[in-house]
Short mmCIF file of all heavy atoms in Angstrom, two decimals:
data_model
loop_
_atom_site.label_atom_id
_atom_site.label_comp_id
_atom_site.label_asym_id
_atom_site.label_seq_id
_atom_site.Cartn_x
_atom_site.Cartn_y
_atom_site.Cartn_z
N VAL B 53 14.33 -40.99 28.70
CA VAL B 53 13.16 -40.96 29.70
C VAL B 53 11.86 -41.30 28.92
O VAL B 53 11.52 -40.65 27.86
CB VAL B 53 13.06 -39.53 30.25
CG1 VAL B 53 11.78 -39.44 31.14
CG2 VAL B 53 14.30 -39.23 31.16
N ARG B 54 11.14 -42.23 29.42
CA ARG B 54 9.90 -42.67 28.76
C ARG B 54 8.82 -42.91 29.82
O ARG B 54 9.24 -43.57 30.86
CB ARG B 54 10.08 -43.98 27.86
CG ARG B 54 11.15 -43.76 26.88
CD ARG B 54 11.41 -45.07 26.14
NE ARG B 54 10.27 -45.30 25.24
CZ ARG B 54 10.24 -46.40 24.50
NH1 ARG B 54 11.16 -47.37 24.61
NH2 ARG B 54 9.17 -46.61 23.67
N VAL B 55 7.64 -42.66 29.57
CA VAL B 55 6.61 -42.91 30.61
C VAL B 55 5.62 -43.97 29.95
O VAL B 55 5.14 -44.93 30.65
CB VAL B 55 5.82 -41.71 30.98
CG1 VAL B 55 4.61 -41.93 31.79
CG2 VAL B 55 6.80 -40.76 31.67
N LEU B 56 5.24 -43.83 28.71
CA LEU B 56 4.30 -44.70 28.18
C LEU B 56 4.93 -46.10 27.76
O LEU B 56 5.91 -46.09 26.98
CB LEU B 56 3.67 -44.04 26.94
CG LEU B 56 2.75 -42.87 27.19
CD1 LEU B 56 2.33 -42.16 25.96
CD2 LEU B 56 1.50 -43.37 27.98
N ASP B 57 4.41 -47.23 28.17
CA ASP B 57 4.93 -48.45 27.83
C ASP B 57 4.14 -49.05 26.68
O ASP B 57 3.23 -48.44 26.12
CB ASP B 57 4.96 -49.38 29.08
CG ASP B 57 3.52 -49.91 29.50
OD1 ASP B 57 2.67 -49.58 28.75
OD2 ASP B 57 3.49 -50.54 30.58
N ASP B 58 4.52 -50.17 26.32
CA ASP B 58 3.97 -50.90 25.16
C ASP B 58 2.51 -51.24 25.24
O ASP B 58 1.75 -51.42 24.37
CB ASP B 58 4.78 -52.20 24.70
CG ASP B 58 6.12 -51.82 24.27
OD1 ASP B 58 6.40 -50.55 23.89
OD2 ASP B 58 7.04 -52.70 24.28
N GLN B 59 2.06 -51.35 26.55
CA GLN B 59 0.62 -51.57 26.81
C GLN B 59 -0.15 -50.37 26.99
O GLN B 59 -1.31 -50.34 27.46
CB GLN B 59 0.52 -52.47 28.06
CG GLN B 59 0.67 -53.95 27.76
CD GLN B 59 2.21 -54.33 27.73
OE1 GLN B 59 2.99 -53.88 28.64
NE2 GLN B 59 2.64 -54.94 26.69
N HIS B 60 0.47 -49.22 26.64
CA HIS B 60 -0.15 -47.85 26.69
C HIS B 60 -0.42 -47.39 28.07
O HIS B 60 -1.29 -46.56 28.37
CB HIS B 60 -1.50 -47.94 25.84
CG HIS B 60 -1.44 -48.54 24.48
ND1 HIS B 60 -0.46 -48.19 23.64
CD2 HIS B 60 -2.05 -49.53 24.03
CE1 HIS B 60 -0.51 -48.91 22.61
NE2 HIS B 60 -1.57 -49.73 22.71
N ARG B 61 0.26 -48.00 29.11
CA ARG B 61 0.21 -47.52 30.44
C ARG B 61 1.29 -46.46 30.75
O ARG B 61 2.31 -46.50 30.12
CB ARG B 61 0.42 -48.69 31.44
CG ARG B 61 -0.74 -49.68 31.45
CD ARG B 61 -0.44 -50.93 32.28
NE ARG B 61 0.94 -51.37 32.04
CZ ARG B 61 1.39 -52.65 32.11
NH1 ARG B 61 0.60 -53.50 32.61
NH2 ARG B 61 2.61 -52.93 31.84
N ALA B 62 0.95 -45.63 31.66
CA ALA B 62 1.94 -44.68 32.15
C ALA B 62 2.70 -45.34 33.42
O ALA B 62 2.02 -45.67 34.34
CB ALA B 62 1.27 -43.37 32.54
N VAL B 63 4.00 -45.31 33.24
CA VAL B 63 4.69 -46.06 34.39
C VAL B 63 5.98 -45.25 34.75
O VAL B 63 6.50 -44.40 34.01
CB VAL B 63 5.15 -47.47 33.87
CG1 VAL B 63 4.00 -48.38 33.59
CG2 VAL B 63 6.05 -47.45 32.68
N GLY B 64 6.48 -45.54 35.93
CA GLY B 64 7.72 -45.04 36.42
C GLY B 64 7.76 -43.71 37.08
O GLY B 64 6.67 -43.09 37.18
N PRO B 65 8.92 -43.35 37.52
CA PRO B 65 9.02 -42.14 38.33
C PRO B 65 8.75 -40.84 37.56
O PRO B 65 8.52 -39.77 38.19
CB PRO B 65 10.49 -42.17 38.81
CG PRO B 65 11.18 -42.94 37.78
CD PRO B 65 10.21 -43.98 37.28
N TRP B 66 8.77 -40.81 36.25
CA TRP B 66 8.45 -39.57 35.52
C TRP B 66 7.05 -39.40 35.21
O TRP B 66 6.64 -38.39 34.61
CB TRP B 66 9.32 -39.56 34.22
CG TRP B 66 10.76 -39.36 34.48
CD1 TRP B 66 11.77 -40.28 34.63
CD2 TRP B 66 11.50 -38.10 34.46
NE1 TRP B 66 12.92 -39.74 34.92
CE2 TRP B 66 12.81 -38.31 34.76
CE3 TRP B 66 11.08 -36.76 34.44
CZ2 TRP B 66 13.78 -37.40 34.94
CZ3 TRP B 66 12.05 -35.77 34.62
CH2 TRP B 66 13.39 -36.04 34.74
N HIS B 67 6.24 -40.39 35.59
CA HIS B 67 4.72 -40.31 35.29
C HIS B 67 4.26 -39.03 35.92
O HIS B 67 4.30 -38.71 37.05
CB HIS B 67 4.02 -41.49 35.97
CG HIS B 67 2.55 -41.54 35.77
ND1 HIS B 67 1.91 -40.59 35.12
CD2 HIS B 67 1.72 -42.52 36.10
CE1 HIS B 67 0.58 -40.91 35.03
NE2 HIS B 67 0.44 -42.07 35.62
N PRO B 68 3.72 -38.04 35.05
CA PRO B 68 3.37 -36.74 35.59
C PRO B 68 1.99 -36.65 36.24
O PRO B 68 1.63 -35.58 36.77
CB PRO B 68 3.37 -35.81 34.28
CG PRO B 68 3.03 -36.86 33.16
CD PRO B 68 3.54 -38.17 33.61
N HIS B 69 1.19 -37.74 36.20
CA HIS B 69 -0.09 -37.75 36.81
C HIS B 69 -0.97 -36.61 36.48
O HIS B 69 -1.52 -35.93 37.24
CB HIS B 69 0.05 -37.86 38.33
CG HIS B 69 0.77 -39.11 38.77
ND1 HIS B 69 0.17 -40.32 38.66
CD2 HIS B 69 2.03 -39.27 39.19
CE1 HIS B 69 1.06 -41.24 39.09
NE2 HIS B 69 2.22 -40.73 39.33
N LEU B 70 -1.05 -36.36 35.16
CA LEU B 70 -1.92 -35.31 34.69
C LEU B 70 -3.35 -35.89 34.62
O LEU B 70 -3.60 -37.14 34.47
CB LEU B 70 -1.53 -34.95 33.20
CG LEU B 70 -0.16 -34.40 33.12
CD1 LEU B 70 0.22 -34.21 31.54
CD2 LEU B 70 -0.09 -33.13 33.82
N ASP B 71 -4.37 -34.97 34.88
CA ASP B 71 -5.72 -35.61 34.80
C ASP B 71 -6.12 -35.79 33.44
O ASP B 71 -5.70 -35.19 32.49
CB ASP B 71 -6.71 -34.87 35.74
CG ASP B 71 -6.97 -33.48 35.30
OD1 ASP B 71 -7.40 -33.26 34.13
OD2 ASP B 71 -6.66 -32.56 36.09
N PRO B 72 -7.08 -36.75 33.14
CA PRO B 72 -7.42 -37.08 31.78
C PRO B 72 -7.92 -35.91 31.01
O PRO B 72 -7.70 -35.91 29.79
CB PRO B 72 -8.53 -38.13 32.03
CG PRO B 72 -8.36 -38.62 33.44
CD PRO B 72 -7.69 -37.61 34.24
N GLY B 73 -8.50 -35.03 31.67
CA GLY B 73 -9.07 -33.76 30.93
C GLY B 73 -7.86 -33.10 30.25
O GLY B 73 -7.92 -32.58 29.12
N GLU B 74 -6.87 -33.01 30.96
CA GLU B 74 -5.61 -32.27 30.46
C GLU B 74 -4.97 -33.12 29.29
O GLU B 74 -4.57 -32.52 28.37
CB GLU B 74 -4.63 -32.34 31.67
CG GLU B 74 -3.36 -31.59 31.39
CD GLU B 74 -3.32 -30.15 31.81
OE1 GLU B 74 -4.33 -29.70 32.26
OE2 GLU B 74 -2.25 -29.48 31.75
#
Side-chain angles (χ1 to χ4, degrees):
Chain B
V53 174
R54 305 176 72 185
V55 172
L56 290 172
D57 71 9
D58 292 342
Q59 280 79 50
H60 315 305
R61 289 175 313 209
V63 297
W66 289 89
H67 184 353
H69 298 286
L70 300 172
D71 63 60
E74 184 95 354

